[in-house]
Each structure stands twice: as C-alpha cells, then as structure tokens.
Amino acid sequence: MNFTRLVLHKFDPEKTHDLAVGACIAAAKVPFLTDVIESLFGLEDSRLTVSMGNLNFPNPIGLAAGFDKDGVAVPILQALGFGFIEVGTVTPKSQPGNEKPRLFRLRDENAIINRMGFNNHGIDCLVNSLQKIKKRVPIGINLGKNKQTPIEHAVDDYLIGLTKAWDCADYFTINISSPNTENLRDLQQEQNLKPLIETIIKTRNRLASESKKYKQIWLKIAPDLSDDDILQICEIVMNSGIDAMVVSNTTISRPKPDNPLMNQAGGLSGKPLLNLSNEVLRKVKAATGGKIGLIGVGGIFEAEDIKAKFDLGADLVQLYTSFVFNGPRFIKKLKLKLVQALE
C-alpha cells in the first residue's frame, strides 16, 4: 500500500470514498489531465478485447456498481483503464440511504462491509451527469428500487430507471440482490422474479424497437442462494430474454468471523467472497450451459483470480473492493499480467 492510500485509510471509509470520487470530478475538469492519466495508467492490447452479444469491450475488467453511484466520475475511471464501468445503484427518487456509520474497512482481510442502502441522487441526476460525458467504454446502469416502494410495486421503479436512462447506457443491470434494502432479495423468489423480468424485458423490447437501439439487460444475483434457488432463477432467466447474469453481489455470510467488525450488518465484499462467488458462478454456468453471458464478481485481487472466473465460465469480470485497497495503478497491473499470460 503506497503512502497516499495509507494516509487515506486512516480516515472514515465513507469520507475516503467521497474524497476519491471528488478527486475524480476535479481531475476531469483540468485540461488535458484525463489524457495524462490515461497515458500513465492506461494499457490496451487487442488480445484482451471481448465481445458479448452486441457489446465490445476493450478489456474484460469492469468496475462494479457502488463506486460511482451518480455517474460523476466516469471520465477518470475510463482513463484508469477499466474495460467497462457500471454506475449506480440508482433509484427513481433521491434517497439518503441507511444511517451512518454504514461502511466498514477490514484491512487485514482485504474486505469491506457495507450497508449503504442505495444512497444516490436519483435517476434524473444520473442522466444529467452521463449526458455530459463522452463514452469511451461500455457504460452500464445498475437499477434499484426506492426504499419506500412496496415490493409489489418494485417493477415500476425499475421501469422508470430503464425508460429515463435508455439513451445513456449500453446495458442495464437489474439489482435484486443487495442485502441492504429491506425485502429486496425477495425479488429473487420465483413468484416475484418471473413477472418482474417479463415486464422489464417487454419494456426493453419496446424501447429497442422505438429507438432502433438494443440494450442488454443483466441480472445481478446474491451469493447466498440455495442450489434450488439458483436452478430456479436460471430456468426463469433462460426463458426470459435476459442477456447476462452478474454473479455475484455481496454476501450476508461471514466466511472469516475473526475480526470484530465482522459482526456489523451488511454485505461483505472483497477477498473472503472469492470462493463463495466462484462456487455460485460454477453452478450458474452449469445451469445455463453457456447460453447467456456471465460476469464474474467477488474477491478478485490477482490476475489468477480473473483466470479462475474465466475457467468457471465468466465472459467478463467486475471488481470494486480490490480497486479501493490497491489504488489507480491496479487495473494496469492486472491487464499486464493477463497479457503476459497470453505470450
């Protein structure tokens, strides 16, 4: 860990995150600084390009949702070398999220526990931010529901986000798996999931027909599902028109309960999630048979972790926690190792 990050990690995790996002916003306003950052941290190699459906990615390493909830840091994140960036989670209305403290850094475990609760400034703010940005890599929008929206009306929130942000994204991720919004994970149950997906896909298809622009729909699932739940979800997805599954969100389990902070409620991300998310990825791959795209998420800290997810069936990967712990040079380091493995 370099000196700057060592100092930053002495501060409250949420304040540190806000400082990082603020630094991205400020840097993007300085003439030519984005190009300088790209020259220092960027690295592209044609051998790393990936195609999935109608989308082309300069490399397979994406930034998971959560870092840039309002789409304000995209120019610098692109310059740092991500192959795609997922912003959000965004809800129709602005909401403050859960009470603080709600973000906990477990340095020894290379892990984070969060119970943020979809804090964001709302879909209109996100759209306004993205309309000002020149996209250089695929941009996805992670959609959620407002805390006050009853579960039986959750689909309305997803449709608002999909419709309002249609022209701003290359794909949309339906987040039904965060543990930090009450009852949200109930949307993974068959009686809720099937009509939810059917309505979203019907609206997607209508918007695609009207705009002549096809946008992929991804579904993000939890790593805490039973085998029966996984099979049931995959069966629904395979018959729905969903383009890809994101495997997986944070976990409510505690694989390493030694740290006192492990007692904090919320979703655990980082290195302790690797084995659990990989096991779910393996099961989803077996259930879907390679017929839809798979994005592997959870516990990636080394190029070998990326390769393991590819071996288990992932087409792309996303990370977040390891980026927080390792800093802006991390993506270039991973890509260098992936290129070296091809030589």
Side-chain angles (χ1 to χ4, degrees):
M1 180 180 294
N2 66 31
F3 177 75
T4 301
R5 276 177 284 125
L6 184 62
V7 172
L8 286 174
H9 282 202
K10 295 293 185 182
F11 291 95
D12 171 80
E14 187 165 352
K15 290 181 179 178
T16 302
H17 172 266
D18 292 343
L19 285 171
V21 173
C24 289
I25 297 171
K29 295 178 180 179
V30 179
F32 307 114
L33 185 54
T34 300
D35 293 335
V36 172
I37 291 172
E38 185 172 14
S39 68
L40 291 173
F41 300 110
L43 168 73
E44 298 306 335
D45 188 299
S46 60
R47 290 171 293 180
L48 293 180
T49 58
V50 177
S51 295
M52 192 177 76
N54 66 326
L55 293 177
N56 299 310
F57 304 85
N59 70 76
I61 304 173
L63 177 64
F67 182 86
D68 186 6
K69 294 178 180 293
D70 297 308
V72 293
V74 171
I76 298 303
L77 295 171
Q78 291 181 138
L80 291 176
F82 286 101
F84 60 109
I85 296 163
E86 191 165 306
V87 298
T89 299
V90 65
T91 54
K93 299 176 182 178
S94 174
Q95 61 181 29
N98 295 324
E99 292 185 4
K100 299 178 182 180
R102 54 193 181 181
L103 187 63
F104 306 90
R105 186 190 303 118
L106 288 70
R107 188 182 302 163
D108 292 342
E109 289 80 9
N110 284 317
I112 289 173
I113 292 175
N114 93 83
R115 51 174 181 265
M116 302 299 288
F118 289 170
N119 56 306
N120 72 103
H121 289 107
I123 190 65
D124 291 331
C125 179
L126 175 67
V127 168
N128 182 59
S129 296
L130 293 181
Q131 285 175 338
K132 301 173 182 177
I133 291 169
K134 181 179 180 180
K135 291 192 298 183
R136 301 166 68 178
V137 300
I139 303 296
I141 296 179
N142 188 293
L143 300 175
K145 80 170 190 72
N146 278 114
K147 180 179 180 179
Q148 301 302 325
T149 302
I151 200 74
E152 59 268 23
H153 297 301
V155 67
D156 298 333
D157 281 11
Y158 292 102
L159 296 184
I160 289 170
L162 182 66
T163 303
K164 286 194 170 186
W166 180 258
D167 291 326
C168 298
D170 297 291
Y171 71 88
F172 294 87
T173 296
I174 307 303
N175 189 345
I176 56 171
S177 50
S178 169
N180 302 316
T181 295
E182 187 178 0
N183 298 326
L184 184 76
R185 286 190 170 193
D186 290 349
L187 291 173
Q188 296 176 120
Q189 298 172 5
E190 181 182 14
Q191 69 271 21
N192 297 321
L193 182 61
K194 190 171 182 180
L196 177 81
I197 290 180
E198 287 177 349
T199 304
I200 290 172
I201 293 300
K202 182 179 179 179
T203 301
R204 186 274 306 272
N205 292 344
R206 176 180 60 79
L207 291 169
S209 177
E210 291 172 356
S211 67
K212 302 297 189 290
K213 296 177 183 178
Y214 183 86
K215 306 294 176 76
Q216 293 191 23
I217 301 291
W218 299 0
L219 183 72
K220 190 168 188 175
I221 65 170
D224 308 306
L225 297 162
S226 70
D227 289 355
D228 287 343
D229 289 337
I230 292 172
L231 289 173
Q232 194 170 74
I233 289 171
C234 289
E235 182 179 355
I236 292 171
V237 165
M238 293 296 290
N239 294 305
S240 69
I242 290 287
D243 299 278
M245 292 178 67
V246 183
V247 187
S248 63
N249 213 317
T250 57
T251 180
I252 57 174
S253 69
R254 298 294 184 259
K256 290 182 65 178
D258 301 333
N259 191 317
L261 286 176
M262 285 288 187
N263 295 323
Q264 292 289 343
L268 174 70
S269 63
K271 189 165 284 188
L273 183 56
L274 180 65
N275 291 336
L276 178 59
S277 61
N278 282 356
E279 182 62 16
V280 177
L281 178 61
R282 182 188 66 78
K283 293 173 181 177
V284 170
K285 171 67 174 181
T288 56
K291 295 180 180 179
I292 64 169
L294 295 179
I295 297 86
V297 192
I300 295 173
F301 274 76
E302 306 288 344
E304 290 76 12
D305 300 332
I306 296 176
K307 184 178 184 302
K309 291 192 185 291
F310 289 160
D311 291 342
L312 289 168
D315 301 282
L316 303 162
V317 297
Q318 288 180 328
L319 51 84
Y320 176 2
T321 302
S322 56
F323 176 58
V324 170
F325 277 94
N326 290 286
R329 288 186 172 85
F330 184 55
I331 306 307
K332 183 175 182 178
K333 175 184 174 182
L334 288 177
K335 290 192 291 185
L336 276 170
K337 289 188 176 181
L338 289 178
V339 169
Q340 290 169 0
L342 295 171
E343 293 176 345

